[in-house]
Amino acid sequence: MSTTSVMGGIVRRKEDPSLIQGKGVYVDDIRRHGELASAFVRSPFAAATITSVDASAALALPGVHAVYTIDDVRHLGLNPAQVAVGTLRPLLADGTVHHVGQAVAMVVADDRYIAQDAADLVYVDYEPGDAVVDLKDAYADTVQVHDGVSNTLLTWNGHAWWEGVIDLPDPSPGIQEAKERDDTVVVSLEMVNQRLIPTAIEPRAVLADWKSGYDSVELWSSSQIPHAVAGAVGLAFGIGSNKVRVVAPEVGGGFGLKLNVYPDEILVCFASKVLGRPVRWTETRREAGFASIQGRGWIGTSTITGTREGKILGYELDAICDMGAYTHNFTVAIPLLGLFVASGQYDIPTSYALHCVVTNTPTTDAYRGAGRPEAAYYLERIVDAFAREIGMDPADVRKANYWKPDQFPVTTPIGLTMDTGNYEVNLDALLERVGYEDLKAKRDAARAEGRLLGLGLSSYVEVCGFGPSALAGLGFSWAGYGLPAAFNGSGVVRVQPDGTCTVTIGTGPSGQGHETTWAQIVSDGLGIPMDNIEVHHGDSIDSPMGIGTFGSRSIAVDGTASFEATNRVKEKAAIIAGHLLEAAPEDVQFADGGASVAGSPDRTVSWAQIAESAYQPHTLPEGMEGGLESSVVFSPPNATWPFGSHLALVEVDPETGDVDLLDYWATDDCGNVINPMIVDGQVHGGIAQGIAQALFEEAIYDDMGNLLTASLVDYPLPAAENLPMFSLDRTVTPTDVNPLGVKGIGEAGTIGSAQTIVNAVVDAVSHLGVKHIDMPLRPKRVWQAIEDARN
Amino acid sequence: MEISISVNGTQTGGDVAPRTLLVHYLRDNLGLTGTHVGCDTGYCGACTVIVDGRTVKSCTMLAVQADGRSIETIEGVAVGDELHPVQEGFWECHGLQCGFCTPGMIMSSIALLDNNNDPSEAEVRHGIEGNLCRCTGYHNIVRSVQYAGAKMRGEDPQGASQGVSS
Ligand code: FES
Ligand code: FES
């Protein structure tokens, strides 16, 4: 392993040696003495009343310890949510079920095999009712998911949310007038942004060990937000969150699906408390389609009104957004996040209505990008359609409408402030690198031969790095919903008495490489070798208060906290070293594992010597407190706004409709970069998930609310053969909302990619008359669209 | 049923319920938790091990079916402190993020390279088609396997240690 690191350098990951040897510890790898396993009895109906539950046969099975229903756990309350608009989920079905797969009873047994056998022996009587699955039907309230409650929970239509908080101008000046002018063009498309199942390869897993002698509990959970889970468990059992240790060890991918408090997390604690033994549960892949959240699920119309010269005079978005049956952590806030970036990189009047509608399906919540991929899709698809309509190059139309660098900080149509942006430079960097004009010529030449090549372009801007705690006042907080949790970043940097360094952070990775990136930040600041820095995370008791990993927020917020803590440790160490070396602190320099005096390189002390002094306070300068650590809480003044440009080249087989993705290029801008290798990896994975939505994946329900795609056989995650190499580059426009100048990169790839692919495929077949094809662009759909256009 | 299985060169065995999956035998009975479970349809490949020289998804085999056979799991790949070239490749080329697919991916890659230590990009992609990764988009996995191939051919490939990435 490399022993020194400079920020901005490629460094092998610290987390890898254990993972590549099969020695990483995920929740399902942990074994506790005397542990029991559990399984859930799940509803086969999307809407039904439960008339009876008979667990006698299950309880009679040897090795079964308990079967719990809502009567056992109702006193623990509902499953909490951070933005609690809508119907919260009961921990187990309470008299009714509202989606297929809803948990009705929990079985605890000696092992997972017996637990599953017993679950099959629990006899539940249902009185089926009417379910509503189709989004438009649900919006029409033909059938109500929850009796007496409108299916539309709320509509994000601009000012309602912000009233009294932000003073907004009219976001859509002149759109109607522009439409009526006879020199303008109006282009409109109805499009589906289909539901997806996030599908981390590690299924969710939980293991609880209630310590009756201490009235405290340890819970291991495959979670992105251990602190919030601790708050939820404490609330359910009426104990302080200081008695709940939630540990997220290695987490096998998150993507937002592990950014929730789930009923099973509370239920295994309950079972462990009652039975006096550790209790575990691990989701099966099929169960993940019911027991964890899904993402996307919008149907909407976007409309552009503009001039024939490419000036956009108005953008309108009207969409129905599927919430599923129950509200989870951020459910209704996901469309709001999309609304934050509804007008993308463009200085255009914007009007929007996003209707949050419940259906008899599992809950939707944050899936990588969370509202922003949907928003980018609707905008960038219609920008492309507009360019085609007026016969302009799609790159030129985009440039004609970008915010210009000298306009920053920009106030968007919905009243948020974008930090920094340099959109045209970024797009030009991409176009020059790929040889855009040559690519167009290549496409046209192929088309002249009857081959269907298409080029697709997309710009995007994302909002991330959450964020300013003032956002909590806008509803992004547990506060007000009774669930106490932090809304800040945090980092503690401590130099140990032996000169090694411990960093503990309020956020944690599910693959993003925090241990390496943070070690680089601290190593860069202190000159302590990477190998001597350990980064700890994911423990609600031992980690500083934080809110976890989501919204591409870790580096911008918690990273900054550790950076500041590093600076403070360094300041104190400079005084100590100066004292030891009889030099002024200003003359002390840190490098090569210790400190030296400027101009006299032979006057040095090691970190171990500095630390030894720090922990022997009598050796310190008069009046200095002992110890060598700093704890910093950081709340940025604003979110960050990364951006970028993506381009794809595809070939469509006119006979089969098969889409061959030939090349994919992306030029992203996430501000400064700590480890380019890790940043590129995030972009690769993000792009892959966007391509997956564009070409392969869809959560399909039948009219009865049955999920037809619960297994990986029916829900085709892309395999290696389905994807190309990705050609990446960057422009660098640092943010000014944190001293590192970093913006975050976890979701950018996903936000930029799905529409890039669809734009490319439509480009390949538009001369045949095809205007749009809904995702996923599987061969049959593409073939059908070509057929329909021809006939 | 009584079974006897060689795992990473050590003889293991005992009485197992006939319905015990091989992957659960490895994880629960032997504590070899590096072999992961990511699905219930034999599709993800997280559970891939090598049985008598061939890759097997250990969730699709019963422990009793492995009786008398010889199994290699991720825990047996490195020799002491010395990583296998494929492990080194994944580390040098950032071939993993969350690491959950990685043990299965490494086992499949070893089998692939044992047959062909100079695979093209397409051959790598084909060779690991039974292993799903949700994090990497496979770009760096392809590079990792090709790095390992170069290493096995006695070449000196460049990776993160030399400041080289994607
Ligand atoms: S666990 Fe998925 S293939 Fe075996
Ligand atoms: S590294 Fe996470 S699934 Fe492959």
Side-chain angles (χ1 to χ4, degrees), chain A residues 110-111 137 173 210 252 291 309 311 326 529 546 626 652 680 684 714 786:
Chain A
D110 280 340
D111 66 37
D137 289 347
W210 194 284
E309 292 69 46
K311 187 74 203 154
Y326 293 103
V652 174
D680 285 351
H684 293 155
D714 304 305
I786 297 171

Side-chain angles (χ1 to χ4, degrees), chain A residues 712, chain B residues 23 36-48 57-60 130:
Chain A
L712 289 177
Chain B
V23 66
H36 296 154
V37 177
C39 75
D40 40 22
T41 49
Y43 231 70
C44 73
C47 63
T48 305
K57 291 178 174 175
S58 61
C59 72
T60 63

Side-chain angles (χ1 to χ4, degrees), chain A residues 1-2 10-17 19-24 26 28-31 111-114 117 197-203 250-253 255 284-287 367-368 510-513 676-682 684-686 688-689 692 697 710-713 715 717-728, chain B residues 19-25 27-28 32-41 43-44 46 74-78 80-83 86-88 90-103 106 121-122 124-140 142-143 146 159-166:
Chain A
M1 177 177 280
S2 108
I10 290 166
V11 179
R12 289 195 298 185
R13 296 202 318 171
K14 286 175 75 72
E15 33 279 89
D16 288 356
L19 300 176
I20 55 179
Q21 298 186 74
K23 293 176 182 168
Y26 302 81
D28 197 55
D29 300 339
I30 298 167
R31 297 285 176 273
D111 66 37
R112 72 183 95 205
Y113 289 75
I114 299 171
D117 285 345
I197 306 175
T199 319
I201 301 295
E202 181 205 24
E250 299 290 354
V251 177
F255 316 119
T284 67
R285 176 58 56 200
R286 174 167 287 275
E287 259 182 321
Y367 169 48
R368 200 171 196 168
S510 36
Q512 300 89 340
M677 177 187 81
I678 288 177
V679 167
D680 285 351
Q682 288 298 304
H684 293 155
Q689 287 181 19
E697 297 176 12
S711 85
L712 289 177
V713 181
Y715 190 84
L717 255 52
E721 283 191 298
N722 303 122
L723 298 172
M725 301 305 275
F726 307 115
S727 173
L728 306 185
Chain B
R19 64 174 174 172
T20 307
L21 297 174
L22 177 57
V23 66
H24 288 149
Y25 174 74
R27 291 176 55 79
D28 297 342
L32 295 173
T33 55
T35 302
H36 296 154
V37 177
C39 75
D40 40 22
T41 49
Y43 231 70
C44 73
I74 186 68
E75 288 90 347
V77 168
D81 280 349
E82 199 180 326
L83 296 176
V86 173
Q87 291 173 313
E88 186 185 319
F90 273 71
W91 192 10
E92 285 290 342
C93 299
H94 191 27
L96 62 151
Q97 290 180 24
C98 79
F100 199 77
C101 72
T102 309
I106 287 176
E121 182 200 331
V124 173
R125 289 183 184 276
H126 184 69
I128 58 169
E129 67 171 351
N131 294 74
L132 296 176
C133 176
R134 192 54 150 172
C135 297
T136 64
Y138 305 101
H139 179 111
N140 281 339
V142 172
R143 292 181 54 241
Q146 291 186 323
S161 295
Q162 290 79 35
V164 174
S165 110
S166 54

Side-chain angles (χ1 to χ4, degrees), chain A residues 277-583:
Chain A
R277 292 171 66 172
V279 175
R280 70 179 322 122
W281 175 72
T282 300
E283 184 179 73
T284 67
R285 176 58 56 200
R286 174 167 287 275
E287 259 182 321
F290 316 120
S292 294
I293 59 91
Q294 299 178 4
R296 322 273 191 262
W298 292 19
I299 180 165
T301 300
S302 46
T303 305
I304 277 181
T305 304
T307 69
R308 295 213 159 266
E309 292 69 46
K311 187 74 203 154
I312 297 173
L313 302 174
Y315 170 59
E316 296 159 276
L317 172 62
D318 193 315
I320 309 170
C321 311
D322 197 346
M323 304 288 102
Y326 293 103
T327 296
H328 271 225
N329 200 21
F330 283 123
T331 301
V332 294
I334 302 308
L336 175 65
L337 279 175
L339 193 150
F340 282 5
V341 291
S343 53
Q345 299 190 338
Y346 310 114
D347 180 5
I348 54 177
T350 304
S351 133
Y352 39 79
L354 301 177
H355 314 283
C356 300
V357 171
V358 294
T359 56
N360 287 101
T361 62
T363 297
T364 65
D365 203 297
Y367 169 48
R368 200 171 196 168
R372 290 152 291 174
E374 295 92 316
Y377 183 79
Y378 282 97
L379 176 63
E380 292 292 321
R381 277 290 298 122
I382 202 70
V383 167
D384 232 51
F386 171 62
R388 201 174 309 285
E389 181 70 27
I390 60 173
M392 245 174 104
D393 188 286
D396 294 335
V397 169
R398 286 176 168 87
K399 287 182 193 175
N401 293 282
Y402 282 158
W403 293 102
K404 305 286 179 279
D406 59 5
Q407 289 174 284
F408 284 85
V410 155
T411 300
T412 71
I414 71 158
L416 296 177
T417 304
M418 299 206 286
D419 52 355
T420 54
N422 201 353
Y423 302 148
E424 188 163 339
V425 164
N426 174 271
L427 176 59
D428 279 337
L430 171 74
L431 299 181
E432 273 161 39
R433 176 165 66 95
V434 304
Y436 185 55
E437 293 304 322
D438 292 347
L439 278 174
K440 285 198 293 185
K442 174 177 165 181
R443 171 199 61 189
D444 295 342
R447 194 171 292 167
E449 293 168 15
R451 290 171 59 200
L452 303 180
L453 260 65
L455 271 175
L457 181 67
S458 175
S459 303
Y460 73 88
V461 64
E462 85 164 292
V463 52
C464 66
F466 302 109
S469 64
L471 268 179
L474 303 179
F476 278 87
S477 168
W478 307 97
Y481 304 113
L483 187 47
F487 200 96
N488 59 249
S490 53
V492 180
V493 174
R494 180 173 74 220
V495 179
Q496 309 270 135
D498 61 1
T500 62
C501 180
T502 303
V503 184
T504 46
I505 58 180
T507 180
S510 36
Q512 300 89 340
H514 290 46
E515 292 175 22
T516 305
T517 301
W518 264 253
Q520 285 182 265
I521 293 173
V522 176
S523 178
D524 194 63
L526 301 182
I528 294 178
M530 293 272 293
D531 281 350
N532 288 352
I533 298 171
E534 288 296 315
V535 179
H536 297 269
H537 48 78
D539 183 317
S540 68
I541 299 290
D542 287 348
S543 308
M545 284 311 302
I547 52 173
T549 292
F550 57 91
S552 309
R553 62 173 297 285
S554 286
I555 192 64
V557 190
D558 295 74
T560 299
S562 289
F563 174 73
E564 296 290 7
T566 301
N567 288 341
R568 291 185 199 175
V569 165
K570 191 173 172 178
E571 264 169 43
K572 181 169 181 177
I575 298 171
I576 299 172
H579 186 65
L580 295 172
L581 295 167
E582 294 173 351

